[in-house]
Amino acid sequence: MTKPESCFLPSREILAHTLKAFMELMEHDFVSWETLSAAFIKKIVSYVNMNAMDASVQQLSMSILENMVPSSRVLFELVKKEVTVDRLLTHLQVTNAQLQLKAMALLIALLLAATDAERQNIIHSSEPLGDEMAHYLYVLQSVSLNLHERRMRTSMDPYSQEQRELLQSLRQSAFESESDAPAGTFSTERRRSLCAKEFRKLGFMNNSNPAEDLRRAPPGLLALDNMVYFSRHTPSAYSRFILENSSREDKHECPFARSSIQLTLILCEILHVGEPCSETAQAFYPMFFGQDHFFEELFCICIQLVNKTWKEMRATQEDFDKVLQVVREQITRTLSLKPTSLELFKTRVNALNYSEILKLRQTERLHQEETLAVPVLELRERLKPELLELIRQQRLLRLCEGTLFRKISSRRRQDKLWYCRLSPNHKVLHYGDVEEGVHSPPIESLPEKIPVADMKALLVGKECPHTKEKSSGKQNKDVLELAFSIVYDVEEYCLNFVAPTRYEFCLWTDGLNVLLGKEMTSERTQTDLDVLLSMELKLRLLDLENISIPDNPPPVPKPPSNLNFCYDFSHAEQ
């Protein structure tokens, strides 16, 4: 029987019955798969590769190969060599549902038996990925992910012993609990209280009856499966997550169970678990084909991402939805890059931290508002000189109004007040001492003067002579941030200032730079310029709302062949 190549070719019906009998014989383990000859295997493969072959024979042949592949590395290599992905994809295109199912089962068996590198080779062993190949890989991915649908749509049964044990295993893996002590050690009430406390630390909303948290379907029991998988396959990461958050007392703890339930739902929505396959979709993820437990491994990466993002956002329980919204965006953006392995996905998704998400959102918002379009950027540059002049005028007006300053003595005692203001013609700085309670003295009452023409330079911070005296402490640091001096006259005298606020410091240093013919350098200048530019651009583009602005101007038409259509004014004058 194992050497059909030496026999006459039986009828298709007899062949189908023979293959079925062979399958049943192999299922009883009377004969090892490894005893089959290479010639026999090639004959079975030939039935799969034939175009004109009965569907029932091909189904049974693929079923035999499917069972053969995981039994031996040698058999796997032989089947992988003889059965191409292109041939299996051809079987996926037929209308016979059973034949499609067997072809997909054989393809999955080959992928599961392969190493990571071999999986990639199997997927890319056909021609370069065309639309058809991409679609069938999408179908394979979709059907495989939909195997989770039953668990996703099943609510937890609080009376199921198996499900209760899975739930208890989460608690036992995280805590060496007193509640697991021998039965006579604690009363029933005491034991329940300890269990409830530990389930609360695990992040369940209903800590007295955590099964209630898993009654919502979806994600149903799939969330419990993911949590148990995480606790068993990455126990150190699981313990670290739980202990790190259960010991916090600053209201910034990340709830593991609640996050896991919501994350499972998010992954189901992103990966379209439970949704029927599209007839045209081609969106498959290459990394899916490199893992035996893709969904669970993806969850393990993403639940640790939730904890990382939670800490970056310094979130509390009130921010739960906001954090999970950011996590959804991190996962979606990373998946759109089509990483080829889960390790690469993990690296990229962790690099996409909260601050990066905020930057991307800001950039996209600007693109949406068309403020980064080339013509708009050119308009910004044209508007800048006019708006900078407006800021200069505002700074000079502020100097003309004047400001009340305090004198700093050698002992850093702020006891005397003086006032300084610019003359209306911008040619003279007037200053002088004033009494307490005087806020805006007239310019005639300020006896001292410095002609603007005599001003040589502006010094700030440590460059100022009145800050060079060695001192320490917070007060000296504050003085350094607010100090500036005017160097004037041929003798290079200095008029020393300490601004009352950072805002006044920016206005005065900008105004004095304008008088000296220099650029305004304070941070306030850039802020004011950005605000004015934003307002002016929005006003200018108001009539272009919902109209796409092209990057390039429309082409200038060719000049007319003659100008006879112009009115001749010379005739009118005659």
Side-chain angles (χ1 to χ4, degrees), residues 222-239:
L222 187 56
L224 178 60
D225 293 342
N226 283 336
M227 287 188 278
V228 171
Y229 185 93
F230 180 53
S231 68
R232 291 177 178 174
H233 289 80
T234 54
S236 58
Y238 172 69
S239 298

Side-chain angles (χ1 to χ4, degrees), residues 16 30 64 85 103 109 117 137 140 156 161 166 201 217 244 247 255 264 312-313 316 326 345 359 374 407 435 462 522:
F30 290 129
I64 291 170
V85 175
L137 287 174
L140 173 60
M156 181 166 181
Q161 180 66 24
L166 287 175
K201 289 181 177 180
E244 179 183 300
S247 59
T264 301
E312 289 171 355
M313 296 175 66
T316 61
V326 172
F345 171 84
K359 289 177 185 176
V374 174
K407 285 188 177 180
E435 297 296 328
K462 292 180 180 179
S522 76

Side-chain angles (χ1 to χ4, degrees), residues 199-362:
F199 277 122
R200 180 182 60 78
K201 289 181 177 180
L202 279 172
F204 283 94
M205 301 282 283
N206 191 333
N207 55 346
S208 59
N209 185 14
E212 286 296 317
D213 287 24
L214 296 161
R215 294 294 294 273
R216 183 175 59 145
L221 289 175
L222 187 56
L224 178 60
D225 293 342
N226 283 336
M227 287 188 278
V228 171
Y229 185 93
F230 180 53
S231 68
R232 291 177 178 174
H233 289 80
T234 54
S236 58
Y238 172 69
S239 298
R240 186 166 60 249
F241 190 120
I242 301 302
L243 297 177
E244 179 183 300
N245 289 286
S246 63
S247 59
R248 298 190 69 152
E249 297 180 356
D250 56 0
K251 296 183 179 180
H252 289 286
E253 66 278 2
C254 177
F256 170 73
R258 186 184 176 194
S259 300
S260 297
I261 293 167
Q262 191 61 28
L263 176 62
T264 301
L265 181 61
I266 288 172
L267 291 176
C268 288
E269 290 173 353
I270 291 174
L271 299 174
H272 307 289
V273 176
E275 296 181 17
C277 294
S278 166
E279 294 182 2
T280 57
Q282 301 167 7
F284 74 94
Y285 302 111
M287 65 179 179
F288 168 81
F289 302 96
Q291 292 291 329
D292 295 341
H293 301 280
F294 170 75
F295 193 88
E296 293 85 351
E297 290 290 338
L298 183 64
F299 172 85
C300 292
I301 293 170
C302 293
I303 192 63
Q304 295 176 76
L305 174 69
V306 171
N307 191 37
K308 175 177 172 288
T309 304
W310 188 282
K311 289 188 286 188
E312 289 171 355
M313 296 175 66
R314 291 195 53 78
T316 61
Q317 295 295 327
E318 289 77 17
D319 302 316
F320 180 82
D321 291 335
K322 183 180 177 183
V323 174
L324 269 292
Q325 186 180 3
V326 172
V327 170
R328 177 193 285 269
E329 191 172 341
Q330 289 171 315
I331 296 169
T332 306
R333 287 181 183 276
T334 307
L335 286 176
S336 67
L337 300 174
K338 296 290 182 75
T340 54
S341 67
L342 276 175
E343 278 303 314
L344 187 56
F345 171 84
K346 182 178 181 179
T347 303
R348 288 180 174 176
V349 81
N350 283 317
L352 194 61
N353 54 36
Y354 180 54
S355 61
E356 287 297 317
I357 289 289
L358 291 179
K359 289 177 185 176
L360 288 169
R361 286 178 176 177
Q362 173 71 3

Side-chain angles (χ1 to χ4, degrees), residues 554-560:
V556 178
K558 293 180 179 180

